[in-house]
Amino acid sequence: MVKRILVLDDNQDILAIVHETLTYENFEVKSTGESAEVMPLIEEFNPDLVILDYRVAGTNGGELCRKIKLHPQYCNVPVIIFSAYINHEADLLAYGCDAIINKPFDLTELVEKVNNLINN
């Protein structure tokens, strides 16, 4: 069965690269640049993994991660947070994410982390 991944990033270039890379790796991918669309998309798409950019307009990726982890139906869905703010790793982990990927990132690292979280 094909695994589903939801990606949030307000940088369209990053969103396109991540979407293309994960699709190439045989995942079904939905992407959005709007934080307000994340929870409705989770309910509609029922992803096996969520990737959130930390710095987005509206609700940041950390708060979205916390919402997902507190939701009774989606609390076990692994969440990866993208962040360019490496010094704040402890703060990001406090939101309950399962992994952090520092920007700029290597696509190999992204695929490895996704595979490790999604296949456990």
Side-chain angles (χ1 to χ4, degrees):
M1 191 166 134
V2 175
K3 300 286 188 172
R4 298 170 169 206
I5 300 175
L6 176 63
V7 183
L8 165 71
D9 201 308
D10 56 1
N11 180 319
Q12 291 305 310
D13 293 335
I14 292 174
L15 202 58
I17 290 167
V18 170
H19 189 108
E20 191 174 317
T21 300
L22 294 174
T23 301
Y24 179 79
E25 294 291 327
N26 297 315
F27 293 109
E28 186 179 339
V29 184
K30 267 224 198 294
S31 341
T32 181
E34 301 292 325
S35 63
E37 293 177 0
V38 170
M39 292 312 287
L41 279 171
I42 286 176
E43 290 172 19
E44 171 193 316
F45 185 56
N46 199 22
D48 296 290
L49 180 112
V50 179
I51 301 174
L52 303 168
D53 182 20
Y54 180 69
R55 291 293 287 242
V56 289
T59 308
N60 74 40
E63 291 299 326
L64 287 168
C65 175
R66 183 174 285 141
K67 271 188 189 174
I68 294 165
K69 293 300 185 177
L70 291 173
H71 195 289
Q73 194 173 341
Y74 307 111
C75 59
N76 294 321
V77 174
V79 177
I80 297 173
I81 294 181
F82 282 149
S83 178
Y85 303 92
I86 335 169
N87 302 341
H88 300 289
E89 203 159 296
D91 298 340
L92 296 177
L93 290 171
Y95 287 111
C97 66
D98 298 274
I100 297 166
I101 295 180
N102 296 315
K103 288 181 174 180
F105 57 89
D106 180 75
L107 291 173
T108 307
E109 176 194 9
L110 170 70
V111 171
E112 281 175 12
K113 283 197 178 181
V114 165
N115 280 319
N116 286 341
L117 288 170
I118 219 167
N119 294 319
N120 285 341

